[in-house]
């Protein structure tokens, strides 16, 4: 993500080249949050309205229940600022990119339910957003962002972030991702030792490489 | 004036420091990040807390986690997984300690000699390095890994590949085996209970199979620091370096300064035409103060990305333009098998089994907790859910190519303990185009111009691509042999985690930075002692052990060339003192280290 900081510094210029910068600067933080909700539902769907609207939902809780949108916004904004150019939070920059591509993929997403065009897309259309985002940024600094953002959402949605008391440094509940992945939870050790392969507990340097005596 | 200043307390620097401290030299070790002196209080078995690359305690950034991480420019789909702090990346490594394959060394005459990157071979023979391997293996110590269910499953699949079990330390041919790991074998209750009350030192000794190598090892609880199971240098070489007087006659403990980011290597011009290293300047993170100390010898061990940066920021000579070039990363790939039965993938050491295909690379099993498991399935250069593949061809025989997203992802990670991951570790070629330079698009930080890490994954050599595809086919076969119902090839972009060869030693002065003893060709009294000194990617094996063996040899060279000492490893009549020796333990406890 230190690399993301460097890449995100290029976002305003990229938005300007695409003609999306003015709209990005005018956007409210609610639009950013809405876009991140739709992104979390895209990667890890649940029974929430964003997942249902994209046509890919799940009975078990997903990224939104895991509070992944907040985690992603914090990851992008708390430590990653844009260094030059117009003032635009990094999360707002990424949201503007996704919404710009959303309107390319489906111009009808300009209006409708939700605050952001990206949230109005179907699941397959969201895939197409990333297809274009990855292709357009190939060979540029922003290729880092188009490559890593889904991995960041995947990681955060399955960690303890959503149920962690950062001041007391302890869990306040069971993380959503632990439940859905049937993770046993943390432990100091496990009853998992099965012994040594073929009973062999040590090996040595091969005869041909041993020093002569 | 110090005898030696070592820059960086990661995988390699503490090895040089410990060896020279044992011989009574005055050694100063500088570390840019923190020292986690009380890991039982400071660390958690929690993935975001540990591994969040911006805010986690394992990040590339200053000790104060409220401050920003340090920047680098990575103008491609990739991720540089770098850590600051005493122990460096060994804090999160899996302790895997395979030796390099003999085919990548000078003088190799095997029938497969042309299967390797001959243009960038080691400038020494394999036989030359073996005594140094044995020295490090005894010191850490390195031991044959115990198995959990995931290793039993992996080795069962490997046993049907038509290759033999490898029963020596050396990869003499294609074979499969348990890892040789720098992890203490389990004793007492370790690995035999889930009961926290029973998993306390000394009832439990060695690896407890907790499953958190990547979050830092502080098990078994209440063990002295040098007896935590994983032999990251913060648990092994650093305690030895800090207590050298206690276990070595005439030894002198090193001075360790943390929060000290080296910004310049100073030189004089009295080296027969070549500059001579004679000082190091560092920035104190807490105060911003700049400090300079002089030394007779300087050792760079700040890492494969930071060493070229420091060299260039110090305006040291770069006559052949190879500083920073030749970055190798094993061009990883990742396959996930969905098994019909329990594998315990989230439990036990990160990896305890491997397959070697000398001339191509290797495979190893990897177990992960859910956050990193999900990251591993969503970090890709191969598109999403097979809808698009970013130009990559489909891999025959797998259920999916590229990232999994949506319900496809949820299904895949719906039971982490029924998965079997295989990491593809490619024997990749040294290429000048993959490199570290200084960023010219982003502003300098408080330590000077920042590094730019460039990888051209899709434009790598034909041999590198062929090796990767060969290994993917073998991984798929292994997983099917093991009983996988479904297999997914994620097609990772560069995950720059095994990092090598940006300040490479070499036979040819035209394409190397170091001589055959790891002293820089352009600056006298300046040595390099970490993965960046490696001449190539070792043929695929994980690099830490080889860097440590080479660093041991480098310490000997420093002693011989500049302090009137003699070589001691090859002719040693007794084994070296182990990092778990009672004398080390006693001093660690007495000095509250």
């Amino acid at each position: 993500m230190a690399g993301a900081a460097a890449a995100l510094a290029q976002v305003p210029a990229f938005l300007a080249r695409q003609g999306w910068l003015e709209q990005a600067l005018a956007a409210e933080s609610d639009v950013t949050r809405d876009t991140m909700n739709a992104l979390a539902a895209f990667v890890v769907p649940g029974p929430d309205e964003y997942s249902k609207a994209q046509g890919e939902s799940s009975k078990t809780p997903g990224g939104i229940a895991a509070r992944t949108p907040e985690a992603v916004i914090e990851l992008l904004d708390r430590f990653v600022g844009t260094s030059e150019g117009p003032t635009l939070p990094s999360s707002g920059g990424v949201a503007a990119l996704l919404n710009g591509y959303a309107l390319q993929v489906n111009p009808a997403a300009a209006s409708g339910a939700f605050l952001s065009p990206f949230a109005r897309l179907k699941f397959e259309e969201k895939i197409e957003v990333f297809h274009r985002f990855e292709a357009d940024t190939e060979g540029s600094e922003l290729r880092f962002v188009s490559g890593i953002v889904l991995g960041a959402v995947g990681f955060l949605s399955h960690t303890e972030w959503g149920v962690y008391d950062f001041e007391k440094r302890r869990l306040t509940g069971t993380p959503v991702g632990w439940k859905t992945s049937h993770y046993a939870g943390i432990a100091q050790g496990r009853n998992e030792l099965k012994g040594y392969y073929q009973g062999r507990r040590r090996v040595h340097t091969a005869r041909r490489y041993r020093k002569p005596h | 004036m110090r005898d030696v200043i070592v820059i960086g307390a990661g995988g390699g620097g503490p090895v040089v420091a410990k060896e020279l401290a044992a011989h009574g030299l005055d050694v100063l070790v500088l570390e840019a990040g923190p020292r986690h002196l009380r890991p039982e209080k400071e660390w958690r078995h929690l993935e975001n807390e540990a591994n969040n690359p911006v805010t986690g305690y394992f990040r590339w950034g200053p000790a104060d986690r409220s401050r920003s991480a340090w920047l680098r420019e990575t103008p491609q789909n990739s991720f540089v997984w770098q850590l600051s702090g005493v122990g460096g990346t060994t804090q999160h490594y899996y302790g895997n300690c395979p030796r390099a394959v003999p085919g990548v060394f000078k003088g190799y005459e095997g029938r497969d000699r042309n299967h390797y990157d001959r243009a960038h071979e080691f400038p020494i023979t394999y036989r030359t390095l073996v005594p140094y391997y044995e020295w490090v293996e005894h010191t850490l110590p390195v031991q044959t890994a115990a198995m959990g269910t995931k290793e039993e499953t992996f080795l069962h699949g490997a046993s049907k590949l038509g290759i033999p079990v490898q029963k020596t330390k050396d990869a003499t041919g294609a074979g499969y085996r348990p890892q040789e790991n720098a992890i203490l074998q389990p004793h007492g209750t370790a690995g035999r209970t889930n009961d926290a009350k029973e998993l306390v030192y000394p009832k439990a000794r060695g690896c407890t199979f907790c499953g958190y190598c990547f979050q830092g090892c502080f098990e078994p609880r209440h063990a002295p620091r040098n007896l935590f199971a994983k032999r990251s240098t913060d648990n092994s070489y650093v305690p030895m370096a800090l207590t050298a007087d206690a276990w070595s006659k005439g030894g002198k403990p090193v001075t360790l300064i943390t929060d000290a980011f080296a910004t310049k290597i100073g030189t004089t011009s009295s080296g027969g035409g070549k500059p001579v290293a004679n000082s190091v300047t560092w920035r104190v993170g807490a105060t911003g103060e700049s400090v300079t100390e002089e030394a007779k010898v300087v050792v760079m061990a700040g890492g494969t990305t930071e060493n070229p940066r420091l060299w260039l920021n110090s305006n040291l000579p770069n006559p052949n333009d190879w500083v920073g070039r030749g970055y190798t990363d094993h061009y990883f790939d990742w396959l996930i098998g969905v098994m019909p039965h329990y594998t315990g993938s989230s439990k036990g050491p990160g990896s305890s089994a491997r397959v070697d295909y000398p001339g191509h690379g290797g495979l190893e099993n990897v177990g992960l907790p859910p956050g990193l498991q999900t990251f591993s399935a969503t970090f890709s250069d191969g598109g999403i859910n097979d809808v698009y593949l970013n130009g990559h061809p489909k891999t025959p025989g797998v259920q999916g190519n590229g990232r999994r997203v949506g319900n496809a992802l949820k299904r895949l990670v719906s039971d982490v303990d029924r998965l079997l991951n295989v990491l593809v570790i490619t024997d990749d070629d040294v290429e000048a185009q993959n490199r570290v330079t200084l960023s010219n698009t982003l502003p300098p930080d408080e330590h000077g111009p920042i590094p730019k890490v460039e990888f051209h994954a899709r434009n790598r050599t034909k041999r590198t691509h062929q090796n990767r595809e060969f290994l993917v086919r073998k991984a798929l076969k292994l997983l099917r042999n093991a009983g996988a119902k479904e297999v997914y090839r994620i097609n990772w972009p560069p995950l720059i985690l095994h990092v090598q060869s940006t300040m490479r030693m070499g036979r040819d002065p035209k394409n190397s930075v170091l001589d055959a003893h790891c002293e820089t060709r352009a600056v006298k009294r300046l040595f390099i002692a970490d993965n960046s000194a490696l001449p190539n990617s070792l043929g695929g094996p994980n690099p830490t052990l080889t860097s440590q063996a080479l660093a041991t040899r480098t310490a000997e060279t420093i002693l011989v060339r500049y302090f009137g000492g003699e070589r001691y490893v090859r002719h040693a009549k007794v084994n070296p003192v182990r990092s778990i020796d009672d004398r080390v333990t006693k001093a660690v406890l007495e000095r509250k280290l």
Side-chain angles (χ1 to χ4, degrees):
Chain A
M1 277 301 153
L8 284 162
Q10 314 298 315
V11 169
F14 186 85
L15 290 170
R17 282 199 298 278
Q18 301 279 25
W20 301 336
L21 181 59
E22 202 173 319
Q23 197 171 359
L25 290 169
E28 301 287 334
S29 60
D30 287 357
V31 175
T32 298
R33 175 57 192 260
D34 193 68
T35 310
M36 295 302 165
N37 284 349
L39 177 63
F42 173 54
V43 180
V44 190
D48 55 88
E49 57 185 329
Y50 290 87
S51 300
K52 287 175 183 165
Q54 70 182 356
E56 175 117 342
S57 61
S58 168
K59 287 180 183 171
T60 57
I64 288 178
R67 297 179 59 210
T68 309
E70 294 157 75
V72 173
I73 290 169
E74 191 212 56
L75 185 77
L76 292 169
D77 290 349
R78 187 172 164 198
F79 293 98
V80 182
T82 50
S83 56
E84 291 178 1
T87 304
L88 179 66
S90 295
S91 61
V94 172
L97 286 165
L98 296 180
N99 287 320
Y101 282 114
L103 291 173
Q104 267 190 7
V105 169
N106 182 358
S111 62
F114 302 112
L115 296 174
S116 66
F118 186 71
R120 297 176 191 130
L121 298 184
K122 293 296 179 189
F123 184 78
E124 294 75 16
E125 293 172 327
K126 290 180 177 177
I127 291 179
E128 180 57 22
V129 163
F130 277 91
H131 187 186
R132 295 185 187 199
F133 188 16
E134 291 200 83
D136 282 0
T137 52
E138 195 60 60
S140 80
E141 300 285 340
L142 274 178
R143 184 67 183 95
F144 178 88
V145 177
S146 62
I148 198 89
V149 68
L150 295 172
V153 173
F155 172 72
L156 291 166
S157 65
H158 282 74
T159 71
E160 77 283 2
W161 196 96
V163 291
Y164 192 60
D165 182 328
F166 286 88
E167 276 190 17
K168 294 178 180 168
R169 299 186 71 215
R170 67 180 189 200
L171 295 173
T172 58
T174 304
V176 166
W178 292 14
K179 292 179 193 166
T180 57
S181 64
H182 290 90
Y183 178 53
I186 56 174
Q188 286 177 219
R190 323 270 187 183
N191 183 10
E192 181 61 20
L193 171 63
K194 302 299 173 190
Y196 294 85
Y197 192 64
Q198 298 180 334
R200 197 177 305 104
R201 295 187 59 143
R202 66 185 303 190
V203 296
H204 303 278
T205 297
R207 188 179 298 274
R208 74 177 81 159
Y209 296 119
R210 285 180 207 160
K211 62 183 174 185
H213 291 288
Chain B
M1 175 183 276
R2 301 276 183 179
D3 288 330
V4 178
I5 296 178
V6 178
I7 301 166
V15 176
V16 174
K18 168 259 180 187
E19 294 295 332
L20 296 179
H23 287 83
L25 267 59
D26 178 14
V27 181
L28 169 64
V29 179
L30 302 173
E31 168 52 45
R35 179 171 183 223
H36 297 287
L37 188 59
R38 301 282 175 260
E40 293 189 38
K41 289 184 179 171
E42 296 177 40
W43 294 352
R44 298 284 185 277
H45 289 325
L46 294 168
E47 296 178 90
N48 183 70
E49 176 73 356
N51 306 120
N52 185 309
V54 172
T55 61
Y57 57 73
F58 283 171
R59 64 172 186 162
W60 178 240
D64 180 355
R65 289 167 66 189
S66 70
R67 291 170 53 202
S68 178
W70 293 319
L71 302 187
R72 53 258 304 88
E73 183 184 350
T74 47
Q76 66 270 319
N77 186 11
S78 64
F79 186 62
V80 184
W81 216 319
Q82 207 178 340
L83 304 190
S84 64
V86 173
T89 48
T90 69
Q91 292 173 106
H92 76 178
Y93 86 151
Y94 290 162
N96 303 145
C97 285
R99 296 177 179 181
V101 298
V104 300
F105 287 78
K106 182 182 91 171
Y108 180 73
E109 294 296 342
R111 280 180 298 180
D112 61 345
R113 73 180 306 279
N114 292 324
H115 293 185
Y116 303 93
D117 183 2
R118 289 258 72 87
H120 302 97
E121 64 185 13
F122 270 76
I124 58 175
T125 65
Y126 183 71
R127 196 181 289 276
T128 300
L129 200 57
V130 165
Y132 300 94
Y133 275 133
E134 291 176 334
W135 188 270
V136 175
E137 287 161 350
H138 191 85
T139 302
L140 282 169
V142 175
Q143 300 176 331
T144 300
M147 294 185 300
T149 309
K150 66 181 187 296
E151 283 75 29
E152 284 188 327
T153 310
F154 180 93
L155 291 169
H156 173 67
S159 71
K160 297 183 189 174
L161 289 172
I163 54 177
V165 185
Q166 176 61 255
K167 296 179 183 174
T168 74
K169 293 269 194 187
D170 312 284
T172 53
Y176 67 96
R177 53 177 163 157
Q179 297 269 17
E180 288 293 295
N181 274 350
I183 296 176
L184 300 177
Q185 291 175 339
H187 292 282
T189 56
R192 295 176 173 86
T193 180
N194 299 326
D195 185 352
K197 292 194 293 294
E198 296 297 314
L199 288 165
V200 176
Y201 180 86
K203 277 186 177 178
R205 285 166 287 126
C207 179
T208 64
F209 277 67
C210 67
Y212 303 108
C213 292
F214 210 71
Q215 288 72 41
C217 183
F218 54 100
E219 304 291 354
R221 298 294 164 95
H222 310 326
R225 184 66 187 256
N226 65 314
L227 298 183
F228 287 146
K230 193 176 77 171
R231 316 311 294 152
S232 43
T233 57
D234 53 318
N235 293 339
S236 56
Y237 274 95
V238 170
M240 291 191 86
L242 292 169
T243 61
D245 57 318
W247 54 267
S248 177
K249 191 177 177 186
K252 181 179 173 62
V254 304
T255 303
L256 171 64
I257 302 179
T258 58
D259 198 23
F261 201 114
T263 54
K264 184 177 171 60
I265 293 171
T267 60
T268 64
S269 55
S270 57
K274 284 185 182 177
V276 178
N278 72 340
S279 70
V280 177
T281 300
W282 68 90
R283 182 181 185 275
V284 179
T287 63
E289 179 189 8
S290 186
V291 180
T292 300
E293 274 214 40
E294 294 189 336
K296 296 169 187 165
V297 168
V298 175
V299 178
M300 298 173 77
T304 304
T305 296
E306 290 305 310
N307 283 344
R309 176 202 194 184
L310 177 57
W311 185 284
L312 297 169
N313 279 342
S314 300
N315 292 312
L316 299 178
N318 183 14
N320 61 6
D321 196 31
W322 264 82
V323 168
R325 289 191 186 273
Y327 211 142
T328 54
D329 70 334
H330 287 156
Y331 197 8
F332 289 156
D333 203 348
W334 186 256
L335 284 85
I336 305 173
V338 180
M339 307 302 291
H341 54 74
Y342 170 84
T343 60
S345 185
S346 68
K347 303 172 184 177
S351 174
S352 292
R354 70 183 298 110
V355 176
D356 295 297
Y357 282 103
H360 300 284
L363 310 173
E364 67 178 34
N365 79 313
V366 174
L368 293 169
L372 290 162
Q373 180 68 59
T374 309
F375 174 76
S376 81
T378 47
F379 178 61
S380 177
D381 192 43
I384 297 176
N385 291 4
D386 292 85
V387 174
Y388 71 97
L389 301 170
N390 279 332
H392 294 282
K394 285 199 172 186
T395 303
V398 300
Q399 272 63 46
N401 300 268
R403 298 180 189 87
R404 298 295 94 187
V405 165
N407 282 327
L409 175 66
K410 284 193 85 169
R411 275 194 299 274
L412 178 59
V413 298
S414 62
D415 190 342
V416 286
D417 283 330
R418 281 178 179 256
L419 300 178
L420 188 66
N421 301 303
V422 179
L423 176 67
V424 167
I425 312 176
T426 307
D427 175 8
D428 57 331
D429 284 338
V430 171
E431 297 177 64
Q433 64 173 347
N434 299 324
R435 64 186 301 203
V436 178
T437 53
L438 297 177
S439 174
N440 54 18
T441 58
L442 294 165
D445 67 11
E446 65 271 33
H447 309 118
I450 67 168
K452 174 180 179 178
V453 180
E454 253 179 284
F455 266 88
H456 299 269
R458 297 187 196 176
N459 193 34
R460 301 210 60 166
T461 65
K462 188 177 173 187
R463 190 186 83 95
T464 299
H465 281 292
Q466 285 177 339
N467 280 347
R468 193 177 194 238
E469 294 308 308
F470 171 90
L471 294 166
V472 165
R473 290 193 295 274
K474 295 296 182 186
L476 173 59
K477 194 171 176 191
L478 184 153
L479 286 164
R480 293 293 183 202
N481 290 345
K485 294 184 298 181
E486 299 170 19
V487 177
Y488 295 88
R489 179 189 183 180
I490 306 303
N491 199 352
W492 276 357
L495 181 61
I496 305 167
L497 188 61
H498 287 186
V499 292
Q500 297 108 184
S501 57
T502 55
M503 303 290 284
R504 57 184 303 275
M505 66 190 301
R507 298 184 75 179
D508 187 348
K510 289 180 189 158
N511 65 11
S512 59
V513 178
L514 309 179
D515 69 14
H517 287 90
C518 294
E519 186 168 7
T520 69
R521 294 184 188 281
V523 180
K524 301 303 290 178
R525 294 179 179 264
L526 180 57
F527 290 79
I528 296 195
D530 59 21
N531 289 4
S532 67
L534 297 170
N536 54 43
S537 69
L538 311 182
N542 317 48
T544 303
L545 175 74
T546 301
S547 289
Q548 293 179 330
L550 209 52
T552 304
R553 183 170 172 269
T554 300
E556 252 191 359
T557 300
I558 292 169
L559 203 61
V560 170
R561 283 191 182 173
Y562 297 113
F563 295 97
E566 295 180 356
R567 295 209 172 267
Y568 54 91
V569 171
R570 181 171 283 278
H571 307 297
K573 290 190 171 60
V574 294
N575 284 321
V577 174
R578 293 188 150 187
S579 63
I580 56 174
D581 187 278
D582 286 345
R583 288 166 289 180
V584 181
T585 305
K586 185 166 178 279
V588 163
L589 290 171
E590 284 174 356
R591 302 175 196 184
K592 302 188 189 319
L593 297 173

